[in-house]
Amino acid sequence: MSEEQIKNLEAQFEARIARDEKIEPKDWMPEKYRKTHIRQMSQHAHSEIVGMLPEGNWITRAPSLRRKVALLAKVQDEAGHGLYLYSACETLGISRDELYEQLHSGKAKYSSIFNYPTVTWADMGAIGWLVDGAAIINQVPLCSTSYGPYARAMIRVCKEESFHQRQGYEIMIKLANGTPEQKEMAQDALNRWWWPSLMMLGPTDAESVHTEQSMKWKLKRKSNDDLRQQFIDQTVPQADLIGLTIPDPDLKWNEERQSYDFGPINWDEFWQVVKGHGPCNKERMNARVGAWERGAWVREAAMAHAEKKASKNQEKAM
Amino acid sequence: MKKNWPLWEVFVRSKNGLEHRHFGSLHAADADMALENARDVYTRRNEGVSIWVVESKNITASNPENNGELFEPAQDKIYRHPTFYDLPDEVKHM
């Protein structure tokens, strides 16, 4: 194809997206669109998969059967969401194996929040309430993104995820209304998860390199700073309601903006965690790669069994 | 040699009376495992009463590049639609 032809195709492609048409796997797309989508969708899938680890830690120690079935179902959903997103990503011509390889080698990123430890039961509450809360704010606009398979996966993810946040908030309510020790535990979890949850919505708009292009492709519908403000405005009253204090001395309602003003975010910490120096980066990757390697013989045995069965069926047919 | 589990497409009938609809895909060693995985991945909340799985390589898909010759001929055949035909106002339902 000549350069002019490609330019022409690109212009038509951008126009289709501007008209709110969806792009489907076999449609022509610019290489950059394909690569950007593989990057974002796989990052999203990896986050779901690694996101199971901090919570898996508490399944056996959940304080009641009610809490245990809920947490188990939530972690199972996360596995499911990872699988929806991996499948959607594979429609762009990259294999599952390549995607795993990128995660395991550290080439691909996942959400930095999962590199923080879950040291008490209250962390299950804080993760559901804050981390899933922030994730939902990020994900809802993606239900109308331009790439069909991604949008369809996100619709299913969002539908399922609303229970995740509620189960987390319910844990916090119970603890906040419990003994002084339990309330202290809830406050401590909020103190530790608040700032990482704000960071999770991504670097400030001034630092965000992909925003403009992503907005055009509807991979992003609101800027990181707007999403963060939305998250803060919706979460502060929820903390007030259950008598917990947001750990930000600068947090103040701004009557004029009809929004909360908030204190500075420690972006050095964010970049440290992104670069692999968070409290649990190594532990998470070891757990993930270890599980993959320990499962190798199962995958091979299943394949061998399937082949043997297929060849037996073939013999019978002859 | 390492062989990866093949890719399967999953179709789910959400209730009797409705058709099976494409839900997504997954990897599995064989058809039985694909069905079991499909149940866990795509029907955790009563989304279905019946599942089909088919290995993705067995699906032949049309190419969007041929959309013109495939689908455009239908566009100017408006006489295939009921509104093409003139009826007297007295005829209320037909």
Side-chain angles (χ1 to χ4, degrees):
Chain A
M1 244 184 293
S2 76
E3 217 166 282
E4 196 179 330
Q5 276 173 312
I6 292 179
K7 275 250 157 63
N8 208 353
L9 279 172
E10 275 176 10
Q12 284 175 18
F13 180 85
E14 300 293 344
R16 286 181 65 191
I17 293 182
R19 282 197 303 271
D20 262 337
E21 273 182 43
K22 297 286 181 203
I23 307 301
E24 294 295 344
K26 295 186 85 176
D27 293 347
W28 183 88
M29 60 185 78
E31 195 47 27
K32 199 174 162 212
Y33 182 90
R34 201 180 74 86
K35 285 216 171 106
T36 304
H37 276 75
I38 289 178
R39 197 192 64 231
Q40 177 164 333
M41 289 160 73
S42 67
Q43 211 167 305
H44 198 159
H46 299 327
S47 300
E48 297 282 357
I49 297 302
V50 177
M52 290 191 281
L53 298 171
E55 293 177 307
N57 178 32
W58 280 95
I59 291 173
T60 55
R61 292 176 288 158
S64 70
L65 190 58
R66 180 187 154 92
R67 295 284 179 236
K68 188 170 181 161
V69 291
L71 185 59
L72 201 51
K74 178 176 191 283
V75 171
Q76 199 187 15
D77 274 350
E78 276 147 15
H81 297 172
L83 293 177
Y84 304 158
L85 289 161
Y86 280 132
S87 306
C89 198
E90 283 173 87
T91 62
L92 289 167
I94 185 164
S95 73
R96 184 72 60 93
D97 248 43
E98 286 172 90
L99 293 168
Y100 285 158
E101 162 58 26
Q102 290 178 353
L103 171 64
H104 297 164
S105 68
K107 192 183 158 216
K109 300 271 179 257
Y110 56 88
S111 185
S112 59
I113 194 108
F114 301 118
N115 292 313
Y116 289 86
T118 46
V119 293
T120 73
W121 169 251
D123 289 1
M124 296 304 99
I127 287 182
W129 175 34
L130 303 173
V131 177
D132 286 85
I136 291 168
I137 281 186
N138 225 343
Q139 288 170 353
V140 167
L142 287 174
C143 294
S144 54
T145 190
S146 66
Y147 188 55
Y150 194 23
R152 291 192 286 276
M154 289 318 301
I155 288 170
R156 201 167 291 133
V157 168
C158 287
K159 229 192 254 170
E160 297 184 353
E161 215 144 76
S162 61
F163 111 72
H164 295 187
Q165 195 188 8
R166 283 176 177 221
Q167 70 91 36
Y169 191 54
E170 196 190 89
I171 291 172
M172 293 305 258
I173 296 173
K174 266 271 152 52
L175 291 172
N177 291 322
T179 64
E181 288 85 358
Q182 285 172 324
K183 184 165 185 184
E184 180 49 40
M185 206 200 240
Q187 182 62 52
D188 166 65
L190 172 57
N191 292 349
R192 283 180 292 107
W193 290 94
W194 175 253
W195 293 104
S197 300
L198 296 190
M199 294 173 197
M200 183 187 158
L201 292 155
T204 57
D205 295 349
E207 300 255 339
S208 181
V209 280
H210 305 298
T211 296
E212 199 191 341
Q213 182 67 80
S214 294
M215 288 274 191
K216 240 197 229 158
W217 288 339
K218 301 176 183 175
L219 259 178
K220 209 175 215 171
R221 324 266 346 216
K222 282 182 182 175
S223 77
N224 294 350
D225 287 337
D226 286 349
L227 293 169
R228 199 166 5 253
Q229 186 70 61
Q230 185 186 337
F231 174 73
I232 292 169
D233 291 348
Q234 107 183 9
T235 310
V236 174
Q238 294 165 358
D240 290 345
L241 194 67
I242 57 176
L244 296 180
T245 311
I246 302 284
D248 178 358
D250 297 324
L251 190 79
K252 215 175 84 209
W253 177 251
N254 183 324
E255 191 56 39
E256 197 181 323
R257 286 201 307 125
Q258 287 292 302
S259 256
Y260 284 93
D261 292 335
F262 54 97
I265 293 171
N266 182 355
W267 290 110
D268 285 344
E269 176 184 323
F270 173 75
W271 291 115
Q272 282 298 314
V273 180
V274 169
K275 285 181 186 135
H277 311 303
C280 299
N281 295 56
K282 284 209 183 75
E283 190 184 326
R284 299 288 182 246
M285 263 315 98
N286 286 343
R288 170 63 202 156
V289 175
W292 179 248
E293 285 173 353
R294 284 193 303 278
W297 72 271
V298 180
R299 294 191 297 276
E300 282 160 27
M303 204 62 234
H305 175 70
E307 281 170 350
K308 200 167 135 191
K309 215 168 58 177
S311 68
K312 261 196 192 150
N313 282 346
Q314 216 163 21
E315 272 170 40
K316 250 191 250 165
M318 284 213 286
Chain B
M1 199 195 89
K2 189 181 108 178
K3 271 205 187 138
N4 293 323
W5 291 357
L7 188 66
W8 300 74
E9 300 300 322
V10 178
F11 299 82
V12 176
R13 183 202 296 288
S14 51
K15 62 176 190 185
N16 276 10
L18 295 178
E19 64 277 68
H20 286 77
R21 199 164 61 79
H22 185 238
F23 262 48
S25 56
L26 50 77
H27 289 269
D30 59 23
D32 291 337
M33 190 197 278
L35 267 184
E36 283 168 13
N37 289 356
R39 168 198 170 266
D40 288 343
V41 177
Y42 291 105
T43 63
R44 285 192 302 282
R45 288 177 174 79
N46 299 318
E47 288 92 339
V49 295
S50 163
I51 303 174
W52 290 346
V53 289
V54 57
E55 215 181 314
S56 310
K57 69 172 188 202
N58 293 325
I59 291 181
T60 308
S62 66
N63 189 332
E65 274 172 34
N66 303 332
N67 275 7
E69 59 202 76
L70 278 176
F71 305 117
E72 271 169 25
Q75 279 175 13
D76 57 7
K77 296 182 174 52
I78 49 172
Y79 46 86
R80 284 177 175 160
H81 299 278
T83 46
F84 179 74
Y85 299 93
D86 296 325
L87 289 184
D89 290 343
E90 289 79 2
V91 181
K92 291 276 187 277
H93 303 287
M94 182 179 279

XYZ file of all heavy atoms in Angstrom, chain A residues 26-28 73 76-78 80-81 83-84 87-88 90 95-97 156 159-161 163-164 292 298-300 302-303 305-307 309, chain B residues 2-7 21-33 40-45 47 60-65 67:
556
model
N -11.626 -8.024 12.453
C -11.089 -8.196 11.100
C -11.048 -6.904 10.304
O -10.570 -6.879 9.173
C -11.901 -9.263 10.343
C -11.759 -10.651 10.973
C -12.436 -11.720 10.160
C -11.499 -12.222 9.064
N -12.083 -13.341 8.302
N -11.554 -5.825 10.870
C -11.512 -4.534 10.171
C -10.079 -4.032 10.055
O -9.254 -4.301 10.927
C -12.328 -3.478 10.938
C -13.818 -3.786 10.928
O -14.233 -4.654 10.133
O -14.552 -3.177 11.734
N -9.846 -3.249 9.016
C -8.529 -2.618 8.902
C -8.364 -1.635 10.060
O -9.321 -0.961 10.463
C -8.420 -1.866 7.568
C -7.058 -1.264 7.398
C -5.962 -1.874 6.851
C -6.640 0.042 7.825
N -4.893 -1.025 6.908
C -5.263 0.151 7.507
C -7.266 1.116 8.462
C -4.516 1.302 7.777
C -6.528 2.253 8.744
C -5.169 2.343 8.401
N -16.315 -15.577 45.704
C -17.014 -15.233 44.464
C -16.360 -14.029 43.796
O -16.251 -13.968 42.564
C -18.485 -14.929 44.764
N -13.175 -15.170 42.181
C -13.516 -15.946 40.988
C -13.928 -15.016 39.845
O -13.550 -15.234 38.690
C -14.655 -16.903 41.340
C -14.775 -18.045 40.348
C -16.012 -18.894 40.619
O -16.914 -18.491 41.348
N -16.043 -20.064 40.028
N -14.674 -13.970 40.161
C -15.029 -12.972 39.144
C -13.779 -12.360 38.537
O -13.706 -12.129 37.331
C -15.853 -11.835 39.771
C -17.343 -12.146 39.822
O -17.766 -13.146 39.220
O -18.065 -11.374 40.473
N -12.803 -12.075 39.381
C -11.587 -11.442 38.868
C -10.869 -12.366 37.885
O -10.368 -11.919 36.845
C -10.670 -11.030 40.023
C -11.081 -9.674 40.572
C -10.849 -9.502 42.062
O -10.116 -10.313 42.649
O -11.415 -8.556 42.638
N -12.407 -14.525 36.064
C -13.268 -14.442 34.885
C -13.009 -13.169 34.090
O -12.877 -13.211 32.868
N -12.881 -12.057 34.785
C -12.654 -10.785 34.091
C -11.318 -10.795 33.364
O -11.198 -10.294 32.245
C -12.722 -9.624 35.085
C -14.069 -9.492 35.726
N -14.336 -8.631 36.756
C -15.231 -10.141 35.476
C -15.621 -8.742 37.112
N -16.167 -9.664 36.355
N -9.977 -13.396 32.116
C -10.155 -14.243 30.935
C -10.944 -13.537 29.833
O -10.611 -13.650 28.656
C -10.841 -15.559 31.328
C -9.991 -16.464 32.230
C -10.772 -17.714 32.630
C -8.697 -16.874 31.553
N -12.005 -12.792 30.201
C -12.727 -12.035 29.159
C -11.747 -11.127 28.421
O -11.772 -11.004 27.206
C -13.799 -11.086 29.725
C -14.873 -11.651 30.616
C -15.553 -10.804 31.492
C -15.234 -12.989 30.585
C -16.560 -11.281 32.318
C -16.239 -13.475 31.420
C -16.886 -12.617 32.288
O -17.875 -13.062 33.117
N -9.156 -12.862 26.194
C -9.785 -13.307 24.932
C -9.979 -12.124 23.995
O -9.711 -12.221 22.802
C -11.163 -13.916 25.165
O -11.096 -14.934 26.088
N -10.484 -11.030 24.545
C -10.707 -9.847 23.710
C -9.385 -9.381 23.111
O -9.305 -9.017 21.936
C -11.345 -8.740 24.536
N -6.771 -11.204 22.461
C -6.289 -12.157 21.453
C -6.909 -11.916 20.079
O -6.344 -12.333 19.078
C -6.599 -13.595 21.909
C -5.641 -14.093 22.974
C -6.069 -15.456 23.518
O -5.692 -16.478 22.947
O -6.808 -15.468 24.521
N -1.058 -14.003 20.944
C -1.497 -15.251 21.577
C -1.511 -15.124 23.090
O -0.860 -14.258 23.669
C -0.575 -16.398 21.169
O 0.671 -16.256 21.826
N -2.283 -15.998 23.736
C -2.354 -16.007 25.195
C -0.959 -16.198 25.782
O -0.588 -15.570 26.774
C -3.301 -17.110 25.654
C -3.543 -17.175 27.152
C -4.404 -16.050 27.657
N -5.711 -16.029 27.038
C -6.790 -16.619 27.551
N -6.730 -17.227 28.689
N -7.959 -16.557 26.924
N -0.207 -17.088 25.128
C 1.139 -17.367 25.626
C 2.043 -16.142 25.602
O 2.795 -15.898 26.535
C 1.771 -18.475 24.781
C 1.937 -19.739 25.589
O 0.981 -20.079 26.318
O 3.026 -20.345 25.505
N -19.720 -6.636 30.500
C -19.895 -7.773 31.409
C -19.146 -7.525 32.727
O -19.671 -7.781 33.811
C -19.396 -9.040 30.718
C -19.977 -10.283 31.334
C -19.750 -11.519 30.468
N -20.514 -11.492 29.253
C -20.002 -11.768 28.052
N -18.735 -12.053 27.915
N -20.768 -11.750 26.991
N -21.030 -4.985 34.942
C -22.247 -5.565 35.498
C -21.911 -6.390 36.736
O -22.617 -6.370 37.729
C -22.875 -6.466 34.438
C -24.361 -6.208 34.225
C -24.966 -7.309 33.386
C -25.254 -6.823 31.976
N -25.632 -7.915 31.067
N -20.821 -7.133 36.655
C -20.494 -8.050 37.744
C -19.805 -7.351 38.903
O -19.847 -7.815 40.040
C -19.613 -9.185 37.207
C -20.348 -9.999 36.164
C -19.558 -11.193 35.668
O -18.374 -11.340 36.016
O -20.143 -11.970 34.918
N -19.162 -6.215 38.593
C -18.293 -5.628 39.596
C -19.018 -4.818 40.658
O -18.459 -4.540 41.709
C -17.212 -4.772 38.933
C -15.915 -4.845 39.697
C -14.704 -4.813 38.795
O -14.392 -3.722 38.324
O -14.095 -5.860 38.571
N -21.151 -5.632 42.746
C -21.239 -6.304 44.043
C -19.892 -6.240 44.780
O -19.847 -6.222 46.005
C -21.760 -7.748 43.885
C -20.784 -8.863 44.155
C -20.361 -9.156 45.463
C -20.298 -9.644 43.123
C -19.466 -10.203 45.706
C -19.411 -10.678 43.365
C -18.987 -10.958 44.654
N -18.807 -6.157 44.038
C -17.481 -6.141 44.667
C -17.337 -4.949 45.609
O -16.853 -5.061 46.722
C -16.386 -6.064 43.602
C -16.342 -7.278 42.730
N -15.358 -7.477 41.799
C -17.136 -8.358 42.653
C -15.572 -8.634 41.181
N -16.646 -9.176 41.679
N 2.038 -20.575 37.536
C 2.074 -20.930 36.109
C 2.996 -22.118 35.875
O 2.652 -23.073 35.177
C 2.526 -19.712 35.305
C 2.634 -19.960 33.832
C 3.770 -19.986 33.089
C 1.563 -20.211 32.910
N 3.483 -20.237 31.774
C 2.133 -20.381 31.638
C 0.169 -20.314 33.057
C 1.363 -20.646 30.496
C -0.597 -20.578 31.917
C 0.002 -20.739 30.667
N -0.006 -30.062 34.379
C -1.452 -30.263 34.228
C -1.882 -29.892 32.812
O -2.640 -30.619 32.161
C -2.238 -29.424 35.261
C -3.736 -29.628 35.101
C -1.793 -29.761 36.667
N -1.371 -28.754 32.339
C -1.735 -28.315 30.984
C -1.264 -29.329 29.947
O -1.987 -29.664 29.013
C -1.135 -26.932 30.701
C -1.715 -25.816 31.551
C -1.301 -24.440 31.059
N 0.134 -24.215 31.135
C 0.781 -23.804 32.241
N 0.097 -23.591 33.347
N 2.081 -23.611 32.226
N -0.046 -29.828 30.143
C 0.490 -30.794 29.176
C -0.290 -32.106 29.239
O -0.605 -32.700 28.196
C 1.974 -31.040 29.451
C 2.846 -29.901 28.926
C 4.226 -29.861 29.598
O 4.687 -30.925 30.045
O 4.805 -28.757 29.661
N -3.378 -32.569 30.146
C -4.714 -32.391 29.570
C -4.648 -32.439 28.049
O -5.506 -33.031 27.392
C -5.315 -31.063 30.035
N -3.601 -31.826 27.507
C -3.432 -31.816 26.044
C -3.163 -33.232 25.538
O -3.755 -33.668 24.536
C -2.270 -30.879 25.692
C -2.300 -30.318 24.295
S -3.746 -29.295 23.994
C -4.388 -30.088 22.538
N -4.015 -36.018 26.960
C -5.254 -36.787 27.116
C -6.220 -36.486 25.969
O -6.816 -37.392 25.381
C -5.901 -36.447 28.454
C -7.237 -37.079 28.670
N -7.401 -38.419 28.884
C -8.495 -36.531 28.666
C -8.692 -38.693 29.018
N -9.374 -37.569 28.896
N -6.348 -35.197 25.629
C -7.259 -34.797 24.553
C -6.823 -35.409 23.222
O -7.646 -35.894 22.440
C -7.311 -33.275 24.449
N -5.525 -35.432 22.990
C -5.029 -35.981 21.717
C -5.257 -37.486 21.650
O -5.628 -38.030 20.615
C -3.540 -35.645 21.550
C -3.353 -34.211 21.079
C -1.899 -33.751 21.126
O -1.050 -34.476 21.711
O -1.627 -32.664 20.596
N -7.562 -39.184 23.217
C -8.995 -39.429 23.048
C -9.408 -39.192 21.595
O -10.172 -39.961 21.019
C -9.777 -38.493 23.982
C -11.022 -39.129 24.534
C -11.647 -38.332 25.670
C -12.003 -36.929 25.257
N -12.672 -36.161 26.329
N 6.051 -28.323 23.090
C 4.958 -27.743 23.859
C 3.781 -27.383 22.946
O 3.948 -26.715 21.927
C 5.448 -26.486 24.560
C 4.438 -25.942 25.551
C 4.954 -24.679 26.204
C 4.172 -23.511 25.644
N 4.525 -22.241 26.210
N 2.626 -27.868 23.320
C 1.422 -27.524 22.544
C 0.471 -26.738 23.420
O 0.197 -27.138 24.545
C 0.726 -28.802 22.077
C 1.230 -29.284 20.749
C 0.151 -30.126 20.066
C 0.712 -30.745 18.814
N 0.292 -32.136 18.671
N -0.047 -25.605 22.909
C -0.973 -24.818 23.710
C -2.398 -25.302 23.527
O -2.739 -25.829 22.474
C -0.875 -23.352 23.312
C 0.463 -22.778 23.696
O 1.018 -23.123 24.741
N 1.012 -21.924 22.843
N -3.193 -25.097 24.546
C -4.619 -25.435 24.435
C -5.244 -24.569 23.344
O -5.052 -23.355 23.326
C -5.344 -25.154 25.754
C -4.972 -26.075 26.867
C -4.118 -27.135 26.807
C -5.460 -26.011 28.211
N -4.046 -27.735 28.038
C -4.859 -27.074 28.913
C -6.340 -25.174 28.890
C -5.113 -27.315 30.262
C -6.591 -25.406 30.222
C -5.987 -26.470 30.900
N -6.026 -25.188 22.456
C -6.632 -24.387 21.379
C -7.704 -23.432 21.904
O -8.164 -23.537 23.043
C -7.241 -25.443 20.456
C -7.369 -26.670 21.267
C -6.314 -26.609 22.329
N -8.078 -22.514 21.021
C -9.077 -21.483 21.355
C -10.467 -21.979 20.937
O -10.626 -22.565 19.860
C -8.714 -20.196 20.602
C -9.487 -18.929 20.932
C -9.194 -18.473 22.354
C -9.124 -17.816 19.956
N -26.192 -17.141 21.618
C -25.516 -15.902 21.224
C -24.040 -16.011 21.567
O -23.664 -16.641 22.564
C -26.147 -14.729 21.982
C -25.879 -13.382 21.386
C -26.851 -12.337 21.967
N -26.713 -12.199 23.421
C -25.740 -11.498 24.010
N -24.823 -10.872 23.289
N -25.692 -11.413 25.318
N -23.198 -15.389 20.741
C -21.758 -15.448 21.016
C -21.430 -14.709 22.300
O -21.814 -13.552 22.457
C -20.988 -14.831 19.845
C -19.508 -14.965 20.007
N -18.663 -13.890 20.026
C -18.726 -16.065 20.180
C -17.413 -14.320 20.198
N -17.425 -15.636 20.287
N -20.749 -15.352 23.230
C -20.420 -14.740 24.520
C -18.951 -14.373 24.634
O -18.584 -13.507 25.406
C -20.786 -15.705 25.658
C -22.120 -15.417 26.292
C -23.238 -15.214 25.502
C -22.265 -15.341 27.675
C -24.474 -14.934 26.073
C -23.494 -15.065 28.258
C -24.598 -14.865 27.458
N -18.097 -15.106 23.913
C -16.667 -14.850 24.027
C -15.903 -16.108 23.694
O -16.454 -17.016 23.070
N -14.670 -16.166 24.135
C -13.868 -17.335 23.805
C -13.049 -17.757 25.014
O -12.995 -17.063 26.027
C -12.974 -17.032 22.611
O -12.174 -15.907 22.890
N -12.443 -18.923 24.908
C -11.570 -19.415 25.988
C -10.665 -20.510 25.448
O -10.862 -20.996 24.336
C -12.411 -19.933 27.155
C -13.539 -20.919 26.877
C -13.040 -22.318 26.631
C -14.475 -20.937 28.085
N -9.686 -20.876 26.241
C -8.785 -21.955 25.849
C -9.143 -23.218 26.622
O -9.459 -23.159 27.809
C -7.333 -21.583 26.161
C -6.796 -20.526 25.256
N -6.145 -20.822 24.090
C -6.851 -19.170 25.329
C -5.794 -19.692 23.481
N -6.214 -18.667 24.222
N -9.084 -24.370 25.937
C -9.322 -25.645 26.605
C -8.677 -26.747 25.778
O -8.495 -26.605 24.563
C -10.819 -25.901 26.741
N -8.329 -27.839 26.447
C -7.652 -28.936 25.759
C -8.601 -29.655 24.803
O -8.207 -30.080 23.722
C -7.074 -29.915 26.779
N -9.853 -29.843 25.208
C -10.813 -30.506 24.318
C -12.218 -29.946 24.555
O -12.416 -29.056 25.404
C -10.781 -32.038 24.526
C -11.116 -32.430 25.959
O -11.768 -31.638 26.672
O -10.700 -33.528 26.374
N -13.175 -30.507 23.811
C -14.535 -29.952 23.841
C -15.167 -30.071 25.228
O -15.844 -29.143 25.684
C -15.405 -30.660 22.799
N -14.940 -31.191 25.898
C -15.538 -31.363 27.230
C -15.030 -30.297 28.189
O -15.790 -29.691 28.949
C -15.199 -32.750 27.802
C -15.908 -33.861 27.029
O -16.941 -33.544 26.405
O -15.419 -35.001 27.030
N -13.714 -30.089 28.145
C -13.140 -29.086 29.036
C -13.617 -27.684 28.636
O -13.858 -26.835 29.510
C -11.610 -29.140 28.992
C -10.964 -28.297 30.055
S -9.236 -27.954 29.729
C -8.471 -29.422 30.315
N -17.983 -22.050 33.847
C -17.389 -21.267 34.935
C -17.118 -19.824 34.540
O -17.249 -18.908 35.350
C -16.061 -21.901 35.386
C -16.302 -23.185 36.159
O -17.444 -23.397 36.609
O -15.355 -23.976 36.295
N -16.692 -19.628 33.283
C -16.288 -18.278 32.885
C -17.493 -17.419 32.481
O -17.555 -16.246 32.807
C -15.255 -18.316 31.735
C -14.902 -16.900 31.275
C -13.993 -19.042 32.169
N -18.464 -18.019 31.786
C -19.514 -17.184 31.200
C -20.900 -17.335 31.827
O -21.814 -16.607 31.471
C -19.595 -17.437 29.687
C -18.378 -16.911 28.964
C -17.380 -17.769 28.495
C -18.193 -15.537 28.790
C -16.248 -17.283 27.857
C -17.069 -15.039 28.153
C -16.101 -15.913 27.683
O -14.983 -15.415 27.059
N -21.090 -18.285 32.743
C -22.445 -18.428 33.307
C -22.421 -18.514 34.836
O -23.051 -19.381 35.425
C -23.179 -19.671 32.736
O -22.457 -20.859 33.108
C -23.264 -19.637 31.223
N -21.690 -17.606 35.474
C -21.641 -17.634 36.939
C -22.902 -17.066 37.585
O -23.114 -17.187 38.767
C -20.427 -16.853 37.454
C -19.097 -17.565 37.289
C -17.996 -16.881 38.082
N -17.833 -15.491 37.700
C -17.197 -15.100 36.602
N -16.670 -15.994 35.785
N -17.081 -13.829 36.309
N -23.721 -16.360 36.788
C -24.908 -15.717 37.371
C -26.162 -16.053 36.585
O -26.936 -15.171 36.224
C -24.700 -14.198 37.397
C -23.679 -13.740 38.430
C -23.464 -12.244 38.348
N -22.601 -11.764 39.399
C -21.283 -11.874 39.391
N -20.671 -12.490 38.390
N -20.559 -11.396 40.385
N -26.637 -16.949 33.564
C -26.752 -16.324 32.241
C -27.234 -17.300 31.182
O -27.529 -16.899 30.070
C -25.408 -15.750 31.777
C -24.972 -14.504 32.510
C -24.097 -14.817 33.696
O -24.146 -15.960 34.196
O -23.368 -13.907 34.133
N -15.494 -20.115 9.635
C -15.086 -19.350 8.465
C -15.812 -18.022 8.517
O -17.038 -18.002 8.629
C -15.481 -20.086 7.172
O -14.972 -21.418 7.248
C -14.904 -19.389 5.956
N -15.059 -16.940 8.482
C -15.678 -15.618 8.613
C -15.520 -14.845 7.315
O -14.528 -15.004 6.608
C -15.030 -14.854 9.757
N -16.501 -14.010 7.013
C -16.361 -13.148 5.830
C -15.347 -12.059 6.132
O -15.094 -11.724 7.290
C -17.720 -12.533 5.469
O -18.137 -11.647 6.482
N -14.763 -11.556 5.075
C -13.738 -10.532 5.243
C -14.356 -9.149 5.035
O -15.025 -8.924 4.022
C -12.643 -10.790 4.188
C -11.439 -9.920 4.430
O -11.556 -8.821 4.992
N -10.289 -10.396 4.024
N -14.141 -8.226 5.983
C -14.737 -6.891 5.841
C -14.352 -6.208 4.525
O -15.102 -5.364 4.026
C -14.169 -6.112 7.027
C -13.690 -7.125 7.998
C -13.360 -8.361 7.218
N -13.219 -6.619 3.940
C -12.819 -6.017 2.659
C -13.831 -6.339 1.565
O -13.925 -5.627 0.564
C -11.445 -6.550 2.235
C -10.312 -5.768 2.847
C -8.968 -6.431 2.573
O -8.804 -7.027 1.503
O -8.100 -6.351 3.460
N -17.038 -6.499 2.057
C -18.369 -6.085 2.496
C -19.172 -5.441 1.363
O -20.383 -5.617 1.292
C -18.279 -5.117 3.679
C -18.175 -5.861 4.997
O -18.044 -7.090 4.989
N -18.213 -5.141 6.092
